[in-house]
Amino acid sequence: MSEPKIDYAAVFHALPGMVALLTPNLVYADANEDFLRLAGRTREQLLGRYIFDVFPENPNDPAAAGMRETRESMLRVVATRERDTMALLRYDIEDSERPGHWVEHFWSPVNAPVLGPDGRVVLIVHRVEEVTELIRARGGTGSDSSRSRVLEAELYTRSRELQEVNERLRQAHAREREVALALQAAMLPAPTPVGHHRAAVRYQPAVGTLNVCGDWYDLVDLPGDRIAVAVGDVVGHGLEAAGVMGQLRSALSAAARVADGPARALEALGLYARHVAGAESATVVKTYIDWDTHTLTYSSAGHPPPALLHPDGTVTFLDQATDPPLGARPEHIPRPEASTSFIEGATLVLYSDGLIERRDEDIDVGLARLADALVRHGQASPEILADAVLADLLPPTGTTDDTALVIIRL
């Protein structure tokens, strides 16, 4: 039995309540019948026009902030791709039949994104509930009316205070993000040359404050024609994650110089992590590269497997030595270790889960996407390949998880 065809345009216009659609530039794209009726505007007066040209702010109210708050809410939706619920808002409307006459209105707005195929916001759903009559209905006579107006003023004042508190919190989060990113950059400098071998590193911050500054990489020169390379991921975000990241990176860098292999280095790191607050459940993969024997030796503590692009264009994921994340076991147990050979001209890729994981799909889909990108761009230099992989795998508007990436031509 075939599914019935639904006329979504007719559904939209029949929706109860005020609903409008705006472009990311805050231009009206459509509005349902209730919106037109209750806002006192025709479709011709709205469509294709900037929202605040249609509904300017009351010039007779010096304390009016409705336009600024509405604009900032909509722009947050575009930037974060998340729904934004506003506090109770007073926004007076000019009577279209009586120019210069402004009518007091109270609104409860919600703005939500409509995403396109590329993950970008293509429309903003602006749903508004007018609560003016509800507030006025609380009025009465005598002392009842007086108390009603006091309660109305109190409600409006508290909603404005809530909006201001939310804005201060957003500004504080933005400042913390800036400091955390600066700390991250200081602790993740460009790698020193690894002999005659070519390597590229990248760190891509997350969108907003969520999960930023928890990912890291490290490259260490070892005796002989060898290096140790690692990529890790700390649970958490912001300054705390950046601080934990720095401690784990330094500890593993030191351990790699004295341990006889990646498993032993991770064992030492695991013991150290037990005494670092916030290091629980951190993941890391460590790989030793030996050009004299053309051997890769690796061990993983709950981290996505490194990818090895062979000169013939095939990709192998190094997943034969995977163990739980740091601090996952109550007692110390030796970690597994595996080795594989490589041919000169192969490419080793280490990365964090922000590169491949998406909330709505299986991790195998992300791994396949990475393998495909490596095959298509594998002949490029590590620097060009790193940029191509990020461009192919990360959405244009960014992700909610940061990403570390190391690419080495073997």
Side-chain angles (χ1 to χ4, degrees), residues 106-366:
F106 289 87
W107 313 91
S108 178
V110 177
N111 300 307
V114 176
L115 304 182
D118 61 356
R120 297 186 181 185
V121 176
V122 294
L123 288 172
I124 302 169
V125 178
H126 180 52
R127 184 188 67 77
V128 185
E129 180 179 2
E130 183 174 8
V131 295
T132 307
E133 293 303 322
L134 177 63
I135 291 178
R136 289 175 178 169
R138 290 162 41 206
T141 61
S143 61
D144 287 340
S145 177
S146 177
R147 283 195 298 269
S148 174
R149 299 306 295 176
V150 170
L151 289 173
E152 175 187 324
E154 180 73 9
L155 176 61
Y156 181 61
T157 301
R158 293 294 172 262
S159 67
R160 291 292 299 275
E161 290 176 351
L162 176 61
Q163 192 83 359
E164 293 172 359
V165 169
N166 286 339
E167 183 59 31
R168 287 197 296 270
L169 285 173
R170 292 188 184 97
Q171 293 174 358
H173 289 163
R175 287 194 295 271
E176 179 183 331
R177 185 177 191 272
E178 291 177 0
V179 174
L181 286 173
L183 181 61
Q184 179 88 347
M187 290 189 290
L188 291 181
T192 57
V194 287
H196 59 282
H197 310 294
R198 291 180 292 169
V201 298
R202 295 289 187 275
Y203 173 75
Q204 189 74 29
V207 174
T209 59
L210 184 64
N211 290 337
V212 68
C213 297
D215 291 10
W216 53 276
Y217 58 79
D218 190 43
L219 290 92
V220 178
D221 280 312
L222 299 175
D225 198 5
R226 299 187 304 147
I227 68 168
V229 57
V231 168
D233 185 359
V234 173
V235 176
H237 62 273
L239 286 172
E240 180 181 359
V244 174
M245 176 278 295
Q247 294 180 75
L248 295 184
R249 176 181 177 271
S250 298
L252 185 57
S253 183
R257 289 172 165 83
V258 296
D260 60 5
R264 291 292 182 88
L266 290 186
E267 290 172 22
L269 181 65
L271 293 172
Y272 172 76
R274 293 185 181 185
H275 304 282
V276 177
E280 304 85 0
S281 300
T283 67
V284 59
V285 62
K286 189 73 174 178
T287 303
Y288 282 36
I289 307 172
D290 190 330
W291 276 277
D292 291 332
T293 63
H294 284 72
T295 301
L296 298 174
T297 306
Y298 62 92
S299 183
S300 173
H303 203 80
L308 180 61
L309 173 64
H310 302 280
D312 64 0
T314 60
V315 175
T316 301
F317 286 99
L318 308 184
D319 57 3
Q320 300 303 303
T322 299
D323 219 27
L326 302 179
R329 289 195 177 107
E331 297 180 358
H332 171 69
I333 297 176
R335 289 189 176 271
E337 186 174 282
S339 296
T340 187
S341 59
F342 66 84
I343 299 175
E344 186 174 350
T347 302
L348 178 66
V349 181
L350 283 77
Y351 53 92
S352 57
D353 57 9
L355 185 69
I356 60 167
E357 288 188 356
R358 300 295 177 266
R359 294 179 181 177
D360 57 349
E361 65 183 25
D362 189 86
I363 190 174
D364 289 337
V365 177

Side-chain angles (χ1 to χ4, degrees), residues 18-20 28 31-39 46 55 126:
M18 301 175 66
V19 184
Y28 280 107
N32 73 346
E33 298 304 324
D34 274 0
F35 191 97
L36 297 173
R37 178 175 57 83
L38 295 173
L46 259 67
F55 297 108
H126 180 52

